[in-house]
Amino acid sequence: MSVDMRTYLGHVELINPITTAAGCAASGSELAQFFDLGRIGALTTRSITMAPRAGRPTPRMAETPSGMLNAVGLQGPGVDAFLERELPWLAQRSVRTVVSIGGGTVAEYTALARRLTDAPGVSAVEVNLSCPNIEDRGRVFARDGAASAEVVASVRSVMRYDVPVVAKLSPDVVDIVSVARACVDGGADALSMINNPLGMSIDTEAMRPSLAAVTGGLSGPAIRPLAVRCVWQVHAALPGVPIIGMGGVLTGRDAFEFILAGACVVAVGTALFHDPYACLRILRELEELLAARGFHRLADAVGLAHRPPGAPTRHRIDLEESSL
Amino acid sequence: MRKTPVTPVQVTGTVLTTRRVDAYHALTVVAPGIAERFRPGHFVAVAVGGAQTSMLTRRAFSVHDVKPDYGGTVEFVFAARGPGTAWLAERRARDTLDLVGPLGRPFPLPRDPVNCVLVGGEYGSATLFAVADALQQRGCRVDFVLGAASADRVFGALRARRMGETTTLTTEDGSLGLRGRVTDVLPGVIADVRADAVYACGPMPMLRGVTAVAVEFDIPVQVAVEERMACGVGVCMTCVLPVIGDDGVTRMVRSCVEGPVFRGERVRFDDVGTIPFDALGAPGGGSRNNVG
Ligand SMILES: Cc1cc2nc3c(=O)[nH]c(=O)nc-3n(C[C@H](O)[C@H](O)[C@H](O)COP(=O)(O)OP(=O)(O)OC[C@H]3O[C@@H](n4cnc5c(N)ncnc54)[C@H](O)[C@@H]3O)c2cc1C
Ligand SMILES: Cc1cc2nc3c(=O)[nH]c(=O)nc-3n(C[C@H](O)[C@H](O)[C@H](O)COP(=O)(O)O)c2cc1C
Ligand code: FES
């Protein structure tokens, strides 16, 4: 028996719920050497910036228990090169593409969104809010609901109506639900979580920080419980909002955990460094797992763990509270 | 940018033999798809720690040797350093190993039969023998200069003596060959053999020195660099270093896919570990440096 794996990001239909996490699939062509990108629900690009960026100095990476720290610093060729080369490459292959954007000011995000408006092949725009707001003493946008909402509202206002705007949230906040709510109020069609929490490791041989940038983003299974908690809390508060869940997904079981917590799309990041075929393997494992539990549709499993104790397993309960 | 010439594959290899070579370990792995695609200079990215491991990033190793036996074997040589290489050192015959390869850009070979000096530092020599073989097949003369801190860390001295016209060995403690570094003897070797090109693999400071010597003699030098890598396939952007392009512009390029082999004079060795101010996309200063 097969399971209907289709899912929706806003009103955009994806053939299945697996996507790559921003910054973990470069421009797509590297992974295309291993598998057909058209077989995954969507490919999420690295965060595109207005100008080319050289990123941070090396070492940019340190392995940590069940995870790693990275301080890449949004290295990329800038939006012009992206629109000239990378996006058309993906569009020609009919790869559904979520374009992640990053900026230091609201105006920069807006300008990026404007550039993407007429570009063919943009299935959704993901707003990476984990960038420092250069107008606000370098405070990260995602740590402040109002600043995040301002970016989202501005991007939403210039983006084509049929392209969903996804706000990507950071777990490094006191109350992720309030930031999520602010983004939805600002016009986000979907939410994506979690971006890397900030971490650090010290090389005990050199007796210095392992990363040149001192601190870096933690990713991999080490952050999965943190990510599942965030998805759970936000889905409970905003049950109608589609969520892209991510953070340490290595297996189909991990993806299923996010789906049960309330995600309708699951992104795979660090696992791709370990296994370039991770997306397809996770998709297959997830489908097998759903089939083994008697699901006919992936959609029936989304948020299922929120049902009250004792409620029947198979049928999705309609949560009554709606904050929309 | 040049394109990666071969498509890498992921294979579950079976360890055929393990052996100690002085300070190093050598693993021969049955890895069909990889062996047949191999060209000198390629490397493999190996998953370590087994299925339930907490070590998520792959370890990169240059391929030392490939043989057609058992459908294709690859051999790599490594120093047990951290937890990943310690785990690899415990592998035994018939254990399985998850490899991705062949990766990276191989060494470009000269069209004409010319004189080549091959310079290896520590386990970096391991990658040079396949190069030597390919060069000799093209009628090139091959001379070796191998060095390390101490005698047990000079890899491949015997094989170099068999293959090379001459082999010069250096150790920093003087326990083998001449006391000193490869760069101390390299000018003499280049002059003696009238070298037309240099090939080098080893620690970054050595590559920097070798490049300086070759530049002095005005002969081309190909170096295989080693940068901290997480994926080896070009998706994580962690392995970058500043390299000057054909257009004269410095870019932070990925050593796993644009390298690991570069023309020595194109690598800005003095600026490795920094973002040179004139690199494409270098921060204009201030807090924008912190984005992401
Ligand atoms: C192209 C290339 C070829 C290499 N060939 C060889 C070889 O033939 N023989 C050999 O002994 N070593 C080689 N190395 C270095 C080897 O990859 C590292 O020594 C090894 O990854 C260390 O792993 P670990 O678990 O012992 O150490 P840890 O320090 O615990 O490793 C943690 C993480 O950092 C990465 N890392 C640490 N040091 C290095 C390094 N020097 N280069 C790249 N990544 C690093 C590891 O891959 C791992 O992801 C090569 C590296 C590169 C980039
Ligand atoms: C090397 C690396 C680069 C990343 N780059 C970006 C990026 O450009 N934009 C972004 O929004 N998130 C970026 N992320 C965060 C991931 O998209 C993802 O949110 C996070 O790593 C958690 O998922 P994982 O544990 O599956 O990797 C990056 C993560 C890593 C490891
Ligand atoms: S190691 Fe991942 S891009 Fe080079």
Side-chain angles (χ1 to χ4, degrees):
Chain A
M1 64 155 284
S2 73
V3 180
D4 180 353
M5 296 296 280
R6 280 175 303 170
T7 192
Y8 288 88
L9 196 56
H11 58 268
V12 173
E13 187 186 290
L14 305 180
I15 54 166
N16 65 58
I18 303 297
T19 175
T20 60
C24 299
S27 55
S29 59
E30 295 82 357
L31 284 182
Q33 299 183 95
F34 296 96
F35 68 91
D36 173 8
L37 298 175
R39 291 176 62 188
I40 56 175
L43 180 122
T44 306
T45 67
R46 60 179 149 216
S47 293
I48 308 300
T49 52
M50 259 335 248
R53 285 182 61 92
R56 291 212 181 102
T58 56
R60 291 179 169 185
M61 181 280 285
E63 194 176 69
T64 57
S66 295
M68 63 177 267
L69 291 164
N70 85 82
V72 171
L74 300 192
Q75 181 176 345
V79 70
D80 291 339
F82 172 73
L83 290 175
E84 212 171 287
R85 292 197 299 267
E86 299 181 6
L87 187 60
W89 187 91
L90 292 162
Q92 272 159 24
R93 284 157 186 80
S94 307
V95 180
R96 283 155 300 271
T97 305
V98 178
V99 180
S100 169
I101 56 172
T105 61
V106 177
E108 206 173 325
Y109 282 103
T110 317
L112 277 162
R114 252 197 212 101
R115 296 294 307 278
L116 294 174
T117 304
D118 302 319
V122 180
S123 299
V125 168
E126 185 178 86
V127 185
N128 175 3
L129 294 164
S130 296
C131 302
N133 179 348
I134 57 175
E135 283 162 352
D136 184 17
R137 287 166 291 139
R139 275 225 311 255
V140 172
F141 284 101
R143 295 209 191 124
D144 181 43
S148 297
E150 200 188 336
V151 173
V152 169
S154 180
V155 168
R156 182 63 282 174
S157 72
V158 299
M159 210 56 226
R160 264 173 39 192
Y161 73 98
D162 57 342
V163 175
V165 171
V166 187
K168 183 162 178 185
L169 309 182
S170 159
D172 288 342
V173 291
V174 178
D175 179 6
I176 193 156
V177 172
S178 74
V179 180
R181 191 172 271 132
C183 288
V184 171
D185 289 346
D189 303 287
L191 299 167
S192 166
M193 66 192 91
I194 56 175
N195 212 320
N196 302 130
L198 208 56
M200 176 172 176
S201 86
I202 294 175
D203 179 337
T204 50
E205 285 294 318
M207 299 187 277
R208 293 211 16 89
S210 310
L211 299 176
V214 182
T215 59
L218 183 61
S219 66
I223 66 168
R224 198 165 62 233
L226 174 57
V228 171
R229 182 267 293 174
C230 291
V231 171
W232 171 277
Q233 288 179 330
V234 170
H235 182 76
L238 306 164
V241 180
I243 294 174
I244 307 178
M246 74 197 79
V249 174
L250 282 190
T251 66
R253 196 211 68 87
D254 305 338
F256 191 45
E257 194 181 353
F258 276 97
I259 286 162
L260 291 171
C264 60
V265 176
V266 176
V268 178
T270 303
L272 291 166
F273 308 161
H274 182 78
D275 173 9
Y277 293 93
C279 285
L280 289 190
R281 177 178 50 75
I282 290 165
L283 177 61
R284 190 188 65 235
E285 290 169 357
L286 174 64
E287 186 168 358
E288 282 167 8
L289 223 135
L290 287 164
R293 282 164 183 65
F295 287 93
H296 297 290
R297 304 184 327 149
L298 165 88
D300 294 335
V302 174
L304 193 65
H306 288 263
R307 72 190 185 284
T313 14
R314 289 287 183 69
H315 305 288
R316 173 152 179 214
I317 48 149
D318 286 316
L319 295 167
E320 270 153 35
E321 184 202 354
S322 169
S323 57
L324 290 176
Chain B
M1 286 283 129
R2 298 171 294 167
K3 257 193 79 69
T4 314
V6 294
T7 310
V9 290
Q10 180 181 30
V11 300
T12 302
T14 304
V15 176
L16 193 63
T17 57
T18 65
R19 60 193 172 97
R20 286 299 303 256
V21 187
D22 298 325
Y24 304 110
H25 301 259
L27 278 183
T28 307
V29 186
V30 181
I34 297 180
E36 71 217 27
R37 289 176 167 80
F38 167 82
R39 279 157 59 191
H42 275 145
F43 70 95
V44 289
V46 184
V48 294
Q52 297 303 315
T53 185
S54 74
M55 292 184 274
L56 286 183
T57 57
R58 284 182 178 261
R59 271 57 175 172
F61 302 100
S62 336
V63 174
H64 170 230
D65 221 349
V66 300
K67 288 211 174 75
D69 315 12
Y70 302 94
T73 63
V74 297
E75 183 172 55
F76 56 91
V77 173
F78 62 95
R81 268 222 280 245
T85 43
W87 180 85
L88 277 175
E90 286 162 17
R91 295 308 93 202
R92 294 291 165 260
R94 287 192 292 280
D95 285 348
T96 56
L97 216 50
D98 173 348
L99 308 110
V100 174
L103 296 169
R105 270 173 212 294
F107 282 102
L109 302 171
R111 240 172 265 120
D112 309 312
V114 297
N115 297 348
C116 301
V117 177
L118 274 50
V119 189
E122 310 264 321
Y123 54 76
S125 322
T127 193
L128 296 177
F129 298 101
V131 184
D133 205 36
L135 289 169
Q136 286 178 334
Q137 279 177 27
R138 292 179 180 223
C140 294
R141 172 190 164 126
V142 170
D143 293 87
F144 284 96
V145 178
L146 307 182
S150 53
D152 63 333
R153 301 180 62 154
V154 176
F155 180 83
L158 276 178
R159 194 161 170 201
R161 285 209 173 99
R162 274 205 309 273
M163 287 185 87
E165 293 292 326
T166 67
T167 296
T168 312
L169 304 175
T170 67
T171 49
E172 276 160 50
D173 65 359
S175 53
L176 180 70
L178 301 162
R179 182 189 297 270
R181 298 171 183 231
V182 290
T183 39
D184 299 334
V185 300
L186 186 58
V189 175
I190 290 177
D192 286 351
V193 309
R194 296 177 199 282
D196 301 298
V198 176
Y199 288 82
C201 182
M204 284 294 210
M206 183 203 101
L207 298 180
R208 174 187 179 178
V210 169
T211 298
V213 173
V215 166
E216 191 101 329
F217 281 87
D218 197 24
I219 55 176
V221 51
Q222 298 286 344
V223 299
V225 304
E226 197 179 282
E227 266 287 346
R228 221 155 224 277
M229 294 185 177
C231 72
V233 300
V235 292
C236 73
M237 303 299 291
T238 61
C239 63
V240 299
L241 75 178
V243 174
I244 305 165
D246 291 334
D247 53 2
V249 176
T250 296
R251 294 181 181 78
M252 301 306 295
V253 308
R254 291 165 296 182
S255 57
C256 66
V257 289
E258 269 100 9
V261 175
F262 293 102
R263 280 170 57 181
E265 70 276 15
R266 293 293 182 88
V267 179
R268 291 176 62 170
F269 287 107
D270 293 345
D271 298 314
V272 168
T274 72
I275 306 292
F277 74 93
D278 57 341
L280 181 71
S287 56
R288 294 181 64 153
N289 193 9
N290 294 323
V291 172

